[in-house]
Every structure is written in structure tokens, then in C-alpha cells.
Amino acid sequence: MLILLPPSEGKAREGSGPPVGALSFPALDKPRTRVLNALIRASKRRDALDVLGLSPGLAGELARNTALKTAPTLPAAELYTGVLYDNLDLATLDGEARRRAEESILIFSGLWGVVRITDRIPPYRLSMGVSLPPLGGLAAFWRPQVSKALDAVPGLVVDLRSATYAGAWQPGARSVTVRVFRDGKVVSHMAKATRGEIARALLRHDTTPSTPEDLAKLLTELGYAVDLTPPPRPARQWTLDVRLT
């Protein structure tokens, strides 16, 4: 099983480890270098805030971006914060659940493409929704690279990403996109919290689902009200709607 997560805008302020080195999925190293170099150049531009889609209050992030090659790092499990990661609460997972997390969780990133929770990376600011000169839209840039790296990785894919990050890889019919609704509407804060709770529950459970039907059954047993919908056409994802009360 693979559990796909978005990153978080909120991140730990700094790391304490050596500068970024080897990361999971080394086939992505060359495109990572291209994005890193483009981000550093973009962060030095006069119009950097506009290019990166940042508010004036985040101007301090530009200096952080320009120093990424030498910046201290920390594990991705500790870097990303925010509602989803608060509810996932990786730090409190026991040994077996933690092992599953290290094997199953893939975090998508505008800068790194995709990383595992054990990968050491520095704090940065770059959304997958940015069109980064001269590379263009990052989701489109990463899609062929990430697809080559992940298409051969086996297992059911539980997709908990936001739409911005879902564009970087479409796993096809072995994947289930999880959506969260309350009274028929998406409530962003609650949706993020529920995705984090679901990821944690899957990691802690003794049973690993292998099909979309298995996933729906397991979440129902865990107390969630869910509706599973098959793909609208071949090679597309299943959809699992979680209904909150």
C-alpha cells in the first residue's frame, strides 16, 4: 500500500542536520537539481513574490530559498506541520506502524518531486501550483519524471493529496482518491484533519487493504461513513467519499 500526501505550507523553522544529500528515488535527482537551481534564481528576482505566489508577509522565505544548497536539514517526518500532519502524528506511531509509514507514505513536493518521511530536506517555500521559470508549471514538469519512478511500485494507492499535488502523478485504476464532505460540502480544515486521521488509522491497523473494496470495508469497520465509486472510465482512479456528521 502507498499513501500519498501533500506537503504542508507550514514547516519547521530549521533543521540541524547536514545539507541535503541522497534522497529516495534517485532517478529524480537530475530534475530535482533543475528545480532547485530555478527556485534559487527565481527567489533572487525583483518580482520573486509574484513569481512564487507569495504574500509580502512571506518575503523572508526568499532568503531561505536562496540558501537551500547549504541549509541544515531534518527528516520530512519532522519538517511538515499543519492540520493533516498534526492528526497523522508520526512522532507517536509505535514500531510496526512507524515501519509501515516509512514504507508506505510518499509526500509530494514542488521542489523535490516526491520524498519519503525519512528523507532529510531543508525548509523551503515552493508550491506545486507555481509556474517556475524556465520550467513552467511544476505539476506538468514533474508528471513524467514521477510517473517513471512510481508506476512500477506495487500496491493499492490511497490518494490523500490536494488537487494541486494530484496533478504530478495519476496512478490509475489501482488508486483511490479520498474526498471528505460535511453536509455535502468540503470544509478544508476538517478535510485535512480527517485525511491525517485516516492515514494514521491505516498505518496502525493490522490489515493492509489490497483493493479499493478492501479499503472501503476497513474504513467502515473503523467507524467512517464512506461511499465508494468505481472509475468513470478505464485507467482512472476510484473515488471514496467520507461523510462527516
Side-chain angles (χ1 to χ4, degrees):
M1 177 179 63
L2 299 178
I3 298 176
L4 311 186
L5 299 181
S8 59
E9 290 189 8
K11 298 178 181 68
R13 291 300 302 168
E14 60 184 16
S16 59
V20 66
L23 301 176
S24 300
F25 307 107
L28 300 179
D29 285 351
K30 288 185 178 179
R32 284 168 175 152
T33 299
R34 292 182 64 192
V35 177
L36 177 58
N37 289 335
L39 175 59
I40 291 172
R41 290 194 298 269
S43 296
K44 295 178 180 179
R45 292 171 48 150
R46 290 185 177 181
D47 60 347
L49 292 176
D50 291 334
V51 171
L52 299 179
L54 302 179
S55 67
L58 295 174
E61 299 294 327
L62 299 178
R64 185 191 297 271
N65 280 350
T66 62
L68 282 170
K69 290 185 178 180
T70 57
T73 60
L74 68 169
E78 300 172 20
L79 172 66
Y80 296 110
T81 60
V83 177
L84 187 154
Y85 288 90
D86 286 345
N87 285 270
L88 174 54
D89 200 7
L90 288 166
T92 63
L93 290 177
D94 62 24
E96 183 61 22
R98 177 72 183 202
R99 183 192 63 79
R100 293 192 192 103
E102 292 176 358
E103 292 179 353
S104 299
I105 291 179
L106 300 179
I107 303 173
F108 280 69
S109 163
L111 175 54
W112 309 112
V114 61
V115 296
R116 295 190 184 275
I117 65 171
T118 51
D119 285 321
R120 299 188 66 95
I121 52 179
Y124 65 94
R125 179 69 67 157
L126 181 65
S127 169
M128 188 72 81
V130 167
S131 180
L132 186 65
L135 305 179
L138 288 175
F141 171 82
W142 279 117
R143 192 176 303 123
Q145 324 285 347
V146 172
S147 296
K148 290 179 183 178
L150 297 185
D151 280 351
V153 180
L156 175 70
V157 177
V158 181
D159 193 347
L160 302 173
R161 297 173 296 174
S162 56
T164 300
Y165 290 87
W169 184 44
Q170 294 296 320
R174 65 181 175 124
S175 174
V176 183
T177 297
V178 178
R179 307 187 303 181
V180 182
F181 296 91
R182 184 172 185 178
D183 298 327
K185 300 178 181 179
V186 175
V187 181
S188 179
H189 180 91
M190 297 188 69
K192 292 176 182 177
T194 302
R195 290 188 181 108
E197 292 172 359
I198 287 174
R200 182 178 178 85
L202 293 175
L203 294 170
R204 295 183 66 192
H205 203 275
D206 293 336
T207 301
T208 300
S210 58
T211 67
E213 293 88 351
D214 289 345
L215 176 64
K217 180 180 178 181
L218 177 55
L219 291 181
T220 299
E221 293 173 353
L222 292 172
Y224 292 96
V226 304
D227 298 308
L228 181 65
T229 304
R233 52 185 182 273
R236 297 300 296 270
Q237 294 175 294
W238 292 66
T239 301
L240 189 144
D241 291 341
V242 180
R243 293 177 280 107
L244 303 179
T245 57

